[in-house]
Amino acid sequence: MRVLPTLLAVLLVAPLGAQVAPYLHWETIGTEHFRVHFAPGLEYTARRAAGSAERAYGRLASELVAPRGPIDLAVADNEDISNGFTTTFPTNRIIIFARPTVDATALKFLDDWVDLVVSHELAHVFHLDRSRGWWRVGQWVFGRNPFLFPNQYSPNWLSEGIAVYYESRLTGAGRIEGTDDATILRTLAMDSRTPRLNALSAASLRYPLGESVYAYGAMLVEHIARSLGREKMRDFIEISAARTIPFLLNRNARAAFGMSFDSAYEVLSDSVKRDATAAQTRTAPGLRVLTTRGWFAQRLRWSDNTHLLYGSNDGRSVSGIKEVSTAGGAPRSLGRRNSLDVTSPLPNGARVCSQLDFTDPYTLRADLYYEQNGNTTRLTNGERIMQPDARLTLPPGADAAPAQSSASAAADDITVVAVQILPGASRLVRVTVEDPGDLKWHSGRRTPATAQRIHIVPLTSANPDTIWSEPRFSHDGTRIVATRWLRNAVTEIVILDSAGKILKIVGRSHSVNGSPSWVKGDTAVLFTSDRSGRPELYRASLTSPALERIATVGSALVESEQSPDGAQLATLLFRGDGYHVATMPMPGQGLAKVDSTSVLSPSHGNTLVTSTAPARPYSAWPSVVPRYWLPALERTSDKLTSFGFITSGSDILSRHAYDATVTYEPQRKEPSLNLAYEYTGLGNPVFAVGGIQEWDHAGNITRISGRDTVVVGTLRRRRRFLNVQFTQLRPRVRTNASVSLGGEVEFADYRSDPAPLFDGLRAASRSRFAARAYPSIFASGAWSNAQRPTLAISPENGIHVSLTARRRWRADSASSTGSNSVIGTAAAYNALDLPGFAHHVLAVRAAAGWADAKATNEFDAGGVSGGQFTVAPGVALGNGRRTFPVRGFDASSQQGIRALAGSVEYRAPLFLPSSGLGSLPLFVQRVSAVAFADAATSWCPGGIAGSTVCPSAGTAREWMASAGAELQLEAAYSYDVPYRFRIGAAVPVAGRKYFGTRNVAVYFAVGLAF
């Protein structure tokens, strides 16, 4: 389960699935209950994590039953996202990313960020690993089979709610002790948007999306534990771990708490509604909302007195920078962004921003970019710099204020103050760039000449116990204001000089302070604080110790930015559908003078605990050995049954991963196997090797007896494949490319049943039944730039192309020149901005295949194309992708060595239920409709001699075509894992003789057709 997300980053970038960088030189620290693995540069953080993990283990073990065996804990630093991940399969393992929470407000109220994330993830292990009764018996037989963990069937709101509950209970900080979750519940209630309990899912597409499982789940669990007894959490987990039907949540709750979850949620909702009703009276005078769509908006900046820039993700489009006018009107898109970090405007019309991108297949980094006149220049590469505030660099002796306010500044150089992430820490840096519009890049890297023109100077030290964020230059450029977090959940607003020396500290409190900015004239700073129990706007004079609360509402106000002329204050208003850009007249005297006391509960004051165990080189063996097996039943080509088993495994780094299926058909004594192994220790490329043994039954062996033909046996062919593949990956947030090179050898030989018959067959036709080997090599490549907004029903505004070439020959034939084949596909998607919760999409696809006369494999045309998803290792649903599909026609309706196909679809959004179906473990995300037309043909050209696939006369090129419609349902099975299901009907348009006797074909498929 993926926890502690920076939610925006999850929306904006391709998910990594908590994949660490497996090619690095990892080391391991062993403790009583943990094997703590760490990447280079992370030993200190790993030792802290080891100490926190053992302390949290002891505290949890005093309340819950401890999990079995050692727990693997990996501390990585390849993602610039605050995140963590826990799984109990195939072993109990935790991955945390050592990136402090410099931006996620919900995660800023903490004593020690390492302690918080470790406590949260370990609570998952204690909860999800627990099994009793027949579940434990099943595990004794089948090992750590993924089907046999009853608490894994819990909805995400329950598992995350329990983890957040213990995160705060163990550390005295975290989300329950903070204000963010309570603010979400109160604000959605104010707008009558409180979701039903069965609408809480990590797959939800209604605001606040997957964050709802954390907020509502945590508050519900805390409410039950506080009102009915904290000791009953153990009872509930124990009861759930033994229940035969794991989905009976209310029954389990009544048995443990004496109250169902539905009843407890109703009580909690009523309490929240009363709080929301009381909060309605809080208003900010003159507050005017400028945007109509909510979701995510952040990092406000004035571009002039009447226009505001902000990062936006409204779900319908990919993330970008938008501009809204105070005079009204719809916001205007200024460009795409890979993240919603700061875009800092300059008086010469240029902009500096930070956004995320991959630097290798496993590493996601924040870097600086410069935009001017429609051109974008990357300033840094892999420097992990974010939250930039930029200004033009002034010539020596120039007056600062006039230069910053003039669009014709004398210098093109820029100076940036920003946050730089380091392993387990952050610091403030100053970046100076000489003539950024003329920087030259080569292959994504700075040339030596370019590197000499970009200078990064640290302004503060980097310490895991001090987190710096959100720096801003004063208007005159002589000072910097920033947020600083200290251990024990203390935050403060710090004033520094331009060299990083601390001049003054304001607003220090046991709460979450943030988003500082300067007032006109630099005599005071504005910031956001939840010291009163809700996020409000404050002003701190630099000449007076008192603070002024200048604006408050019933929900929350975050960020404050005074207009250049000083007349207006811009802010972000939190509503039930997300954040909205708003303005108000700049407050004069504040609402109240306040001190630095906070209503938030004091923390436990956890002392720092570290491990002193010796470090040793990482070994994959303890976590990679097989831990489970599944029984396998397969039907052979002649309807017999094979019996066997399935297993798989990987180490915690996913450096080694494998799966194996072994079966045996006892009547003919035919063993079959399918083995696959992948190695990522090279980083790039990825190495994979596989082996297959399978059997087919080529026909009956007959004998003439008088006038009759008597079947005396069966001819069997054994085929064995050994394949090797190297894949070079190049993922980026906006594009994705890959190139694969590989080879395969097929070995074919024959048997008979009964066995003695084969000797006679071989003597009669030695060449036909000789054992042979067929080596082949292939190369393939793919590239895509299609977009996928969060609400999208399809890829949008982009293309996907792929090409595969293969050469195959017979090893024992000196005269054989081998066979060649090529397959190419291309798809294009265009979004249409029509009414609906998402864009309508027009999608087209074309495919072509060519093979020469010596080909031994044909192209198949016909059938329904779709996807395939794995329910559990070895258990998959769906027919998979087809290259030349025609819906309504049977698969392989036509075969040949030439093939063409084309499809066109109109995809339209219908409904956005985003809700569960009663108490069933099924969550309906969205519903869409598709109108389609398919056409394909596969044939053999005439005049081919010696082909094993085609007749010498060839076959006619006849098109098969169909048209029809589909209803597509995207649903999350087991509450949270989304799949797409398609029900369609197709009618023939051409090639009726291939269609069969029916007039309409109804079919079911999974995944998109393309």
Side-chain angles (χ1 to χ4, degrees):
M1 293 191 176
R2 202 168 173 88
V3 294
L4 287 183
T6 299
L7 183 58
L8 295 178
V10 173
L11 295 174
L12 304 175
V13 302
L16 295 175
Q19 171 70 66
V20 303
Y23 59 88
L24 298 176
H25 178 72
W26 288 72
E27 293 186 88
T28 300
I29 297 169
T31 68
E32 181 180 359
H33 299 104
F34 296 88
R35 292 187 293 258
V36 181
H37 317 286
F38 59 93
L42 293 171
E43 182 169 355
Y44 177 70
T45 304
R47 292 190 180 280
R48 290 182 62 161
S52 291
E54 285 293 349
R55 177 169 57 191
Y57 190 103
R59 291 174 175 174
L60 282 167
S62 68
E63 299 192 19
L64 305 175
V65 176
R68 297 158 290 172
I71 301 168
D72 286 291
L73 168 60
V75 182
D77 192 36
N78 55 298
E79 287 190 23
D80 279 348
I81 298 173
S82 300
N83 204 359
F85 182 87
T86 297
T87 180
T88 59
F89 172 81
T91 60
N92 287 323
R93 49 186 66 175
I94 296 169
I95 294 174
I96 65 172
F97 294 93
R99 190 265 205 178
T101 52
V102 298
D103 47 9
T105 303
L107 304 178
K108 283 189 174 182
F109 188 68
L110 47 88
D111 285 346
D112 180 324
W113 68 268
V114 175
D115 202 44
L116 186 81
V117 67
V118 168
S119 298
H120 181 107
E121 303 297 348
L122 188 57
H124 276 313
V125 174
F126 271 74
H127 173 215
L128 301 177
D129 179 74
R130 187 65 178 143
S131 59
R132 298 172 57 230
W134 77 267
W135 298 95
R136 180 59 67 89
V137 174
Q139 290 183 7
W140 184 80
V141 175
F142 296 106
R144 296 183 67 87
N145 188 305
F147 288 115
L148 299 177
F149 288 86
N151 286 336
Q152 291 276 16
Y153 295 95
S154 302
N156 221 321
W157 63 260
L158 179 57
S159 58
E160 296 299 346
I162 290 173
V164 173
Y165 166 75
Y166 280 108
E167 145 198 323
S168 290
R169 181 161 171 77
L170 268 58
T171 69
R175 281 166 279 196
I176 288 178
E177 297 296 332
T179 65
D180 211 72
D181 286 355
T183 298
I184 291 174
L185 269 64
R186 181 177 64 250
T187 302
L188 267 65
M190 289 173 60
D191 287 354
S192 301
R193 288 174 175 262
T194 299
R196 299 187 308 275
L197 186 59
N198 67 354
L200 301 178
S201 169
S204 175
L205 294 174
R206 295 191 183 277
Y207 191 86
L209 285 75
E211 190 66 25
S212 63
V213 301
Y214 296 87
Y216 284 91
M219 299 302 283
L220 178 58
V221 171
E222 164 65 16
H223 165 74
I224 291 174
R226 184 181 65 252
S227 58
L228 301 177
R230 300 190 183 277
E231 71 283 354
K232 293 185 178 181
M233 287 303 304
R234 177 187 176 119
D235 297 339
F236 172 76
I237 292 175
E238 291 298 294
I239 290 170
S240 299
R243 186 72 71 186
T244 300
I245 301 176
F247 303 112
L248 302 178
L249 300 178
N250 282 325
R251 183 176 176 182
N252 296 342
R254 279 191 292 266
F257 305 123
M259 176 182 286
S260 69
F261 281 124
D262 286 339
S263 298
Y265 190 68
E266 184 176 351
V267 173
L268 174 65
S269 298
D270 289 342
S271 175
V272 172
K273 288 176 183 178
R274 289 192 295 271
D275 183 31
T277 301
Q280 295 277 15
T281 59
R282 292 174 173 260
T283 59
L287 186 69
R288 188 164 65 97
V289 179
L290 303 181
T291 56
T292 56
R293 289 188 65 87
W295 273 48
F296 302 101
Q298 64 181 47
R299 307 304 182 189
L300 291 171
R301 295 293 186 269
W302 289 94
S303 56
D304 56 40
N305 287 318
T306 58
H307 292 86
L308 281 157
L309 303 180
Y310 64 100
S312 171
N313 185 316
D314 62 7
R316 279 177 59 94
S317 302
V318 294
S319 302
I321 180 70
K322 290 187 177 181
E323 181 182 68
V324 64
S325 172
T326 58
R332 182 169 67 100
S333 177
L334 299 182
R336 186 176 174 183
R337 288 286 186 272
N338 297 349
S339 58
L340 297 188
D341 204 346
V342 176
T343 294
S344 181
L346 292 166
N348 61 0
R351 298 188 290 265
V352 175
C353 68
S354 174
Q355 54 185 342
L356 295 167
D357 213 338
F358 292 93
T359 58
D360 66 39
Y362 311 96
T363 306
L364 186 67
R365 293 295 186 233
D367 277 293
L368 291 181
Y369 294 77
Y370 179 83
E371 298 176 335
Q372 189 174 36
N373 300 324
N375 299 316
T376 301
T377 302
R378 187 171 183 167
L379 299 180
T380 64
N381 186 39
E383 296 289 355
R384 313 184 69 179
I385 296 178
M386 58 185 301
Q387 299 179 349
D389 189 54
R391 55 185 288 106
L392 294 177
T393 303
L394 303 176
D399 186 1
Q404 279 298 96
S405 63
S406 171
S408 58
D412 291 326
D413 301 348
I414 60 172
T415 301
V416 180
V417 62
V419 173
Q420 185 175 43
I421 303 297
L422 291 103
S426 69
R427 67 184 179 187
L428 300 183
V429 295
R430 183 176 65 248
V431 184
T432 56
V433 185
E434 301 173 16
D435 196 6
D438 192 42
L439 291 175
K440 304 299 182 184
W441 282 76
H442 177 70
S443 300
R445 299 183 181 276
R446 290 178 291 176
T447 63
T450 295
Q452 294 174 7
R453 292 162 50 189
I454 300 177
H455 311 279
I456 303 173
V457 179
L459 297 178
T460 65
S461 61
N463 186 324
D465 292 328
T466 304
I467 299 174
W468 291 95
S469 61
E470 304 172 306
R472 299 290 300 275
F473 274 122
S474 61
H475 295 89
D476 64 9
T478 63
R479 287 168 292 175
I480 298 166
V481 64
T483 303
R484 182 169 68 171
W485 168 91
L486 303 170
R487 279 184 61 83
N488 298 323
V490 170
T491 57
E492 54 194 17
I493 306 300
V494 181
I495 313 296
L496 309 94
D497 66 15
S498 59
K501 179 182 178 181
I502 295 178
L503 303 175
K504 187 179 181 63
I505 296 173
V506 299
R508 179 172 181 151
S509 66
H510 187 69
S511 63
V512 177
N513 299 317
S515 302
S517 65
W518 294 87
V519 301
K520 184 179 180 181
D522 298 334
T523 58
V525 293
L526 308 173
F527 65 98
T528 303
S529 178
D530 64 355
R531 65 189 61 225
S532 69
R534 71 186 67 235
E536 299 169 315
L537 303 186
Y538 290 80
R539 176 167 52 204
S541 170
L542 300 188
T543 60
S544 170
L547 301 178
E548 297 176 282
R549 188 171 68 245
I550 60 173
T552 184
V553 294
S555 57
L557 293 173
V558 296
E559 300 193 25
S560 50
E561 183 84 359
Q562 190 179 18
S563 61
D565 62 7
Q568 299 181 82
L569 182 69
T571 187
L572 292 174
L573 172 66
F574 185 49
R575 284 183 167 178
D577 64 342
Y579 291 92
H580 291 262
V581 180
T583 60
M584 67 180 78
M586 183 64 194
Q589 186 175 356
L591 297 178
K593 303 291 185 181
V594 298
D595 57 25
S596 294
T597 59
S598 169
V599 300
L600 299 180
S601 301
S603 69
H604 287 179
N606 284 333
T607 57
L608 183 62
V609 180
T610 61
S611 171
T612 59
R616 63 181 187 274
Y618 169 78
S619 172
W621 181 250
S623 60
V624 80
V625 295
R627 302 286 180 169
Y628 81 101
W629 67 280
L630 279 168
L633 297 176
E634 294 182 351
R635 298 286 283 177
T636 67
S637 61
D638 54 351
K639 311 305 182 192
L640 297 176
T641 302
S642 293
F643 305 87
F645 70 90
I646 299 167
T647 191
S648 64
S650 67
D651 64 320
I652 187 172
L653 306 184
S654 294
R655 183 180 291 175
H656 306 272
Y658 62 89
D659 61 72
T661 301
V662 179
T663 60
Y664 182 75
E665 195 281 294
Q667 183 172 325
R668 292 201 171 99
K669 301 179 180 180
E670 294 176 346
S672 299
L673 59 86
N674 191 327
L675 307 175
Y677 168 78
E678 183 178 86
Y679 178 69
T680 60
L682 301 175
N684 218 5
V686 174
F687 169 73
V689 62
I692 298 173
Q693 176 170 292
E694 63 184 19
W695 299 79
D696 56 41
H697 303 98
N700 293 326
I701 302 172
T702 61
R703 183 177 63 195
I704 303 298
S705 177
R707 295 183 177 181
D708 298 326
T709 300
V710 179
V711 176
V712 295
T714 302
L715 180 65
R716 299 182 292 148
R717 180 174 63 170
R718 181 179 64 174
R719 302 173 72 194
R720 291 172 291 170
F721 301 86
L722 177 65
N723 56 74
V724 177
Q725 179 173 313
F726 291 87
T727 301
Q728 187 80 14
L729 304 171
R730 189 187 180 279
R732 296 294 184 267
V733 172
R734 302 189 188 186
T735 63
N736 197 357
S738 65
V739 175
S740 295
L741 300 174
E744 181 179 81
V745 181
E746 176 188 347
F747 302 93
D749 56 22
Y750 292 86
R751 304 281 194 279
S752 66
D753 186 20
L757 290 175
F758 184 69
D759 292 334
L761 291 173
R762 186 166 54 183
S765 182
R766 184 177 301 274
S767 62
R768 178 182 177 186
F769 296 111
R772 291 193 174 92
Y774 298 92
S776 64
I777 56 174
F778 72 90
S780 64
W783 184 86
S784 176
N785 69 344
Q787 301 175 12
R788 196 65 183 262
T790 308
L791 291 175
I793 61 172
S794 159
E796 299 180 358
N797 296 331
I799 63 172
H800 176 85
V801 294
S802 66
L803 183 69
T804 299
R806 180 181 296 271
R807 179 173 176 80
R808 187 172 186 266
W809 63 94
R810 205 175 86 189
D812 64 341
S813 176
S815 62
S816 174
T817 58
S819 63
N820 303 301
S821 62
V822 179
I823 297 175
T825 66
Y829 312 90
N830 183 53
L832 306 174
D833 195 10
L834 298 174
F837 65 84
H839 293 138
H840 297 231
V841 177
L842 181 63
V844 296
R845 178 185 181 273
W850 174 92
D852 62 20
K854 296 184 178 182
T856 57
N857 294 309
E858 63 276 0
F859 300 124
D860 298 329
V864 178
S865 182
Q868 189 175 67
F869 62 84
T870 301
V871 178
V875 182
L877 296 179
N879 295 320
R881 188 71 59 205
R882 296 189 180 278
T883 307
F884 308 102
V886 188
R887 279 164 275 201
F889 291 79
D890 290 336
S892 303
S893 292
Q894 292 181 357
Q895 295 181 327
I897 59 174
R898 306 285 192 274
L900 296 170
S903 297
V904 59
E905 291 191 352
Y906 183 87
R907 301 168 176 174
L910 295 180
F911 314 111
L912 188 66
S914 202
S915 179
L917 296 179
S919 59
L920 297 177
L922 188 67
F923 184 86
V924 181
Q925 275 190 313
R926 52 195 153 196
V927 181
S928 57
V930 172
F932 69 84
D934 290 340
T937 180
S938 183
W939 76 99
C940 291
I944 293 180
S947 173
T948 60
V949 174
C950 295
S952 58
T955 58
R957 184 170 67 181
E958 298 180 274
W959 284 92
M960 300 181 294
S962 67
E966 293 179 348
L967 185 68
Q968 301 194 358
L969 171 68
E970 292 179 67
Y973 171 71
S974 191
Y975 310 99
D976 302 301
V977 184
Y979 303 114
R980 182 188 299 257
F981 304 96
R982 298 157 45 207
I983 299 175
V987 298
V989 175
R992 186 67 177 80
K993 68 179 182 179
Y994 299 102
F995 194 76
T997 58
R998 58 198 186 283
N999 294 317
V1000 178
V1002 178
Y1003 58 87
F1004 171 82
V1006 300
L1008 281 169
F1010 62 92

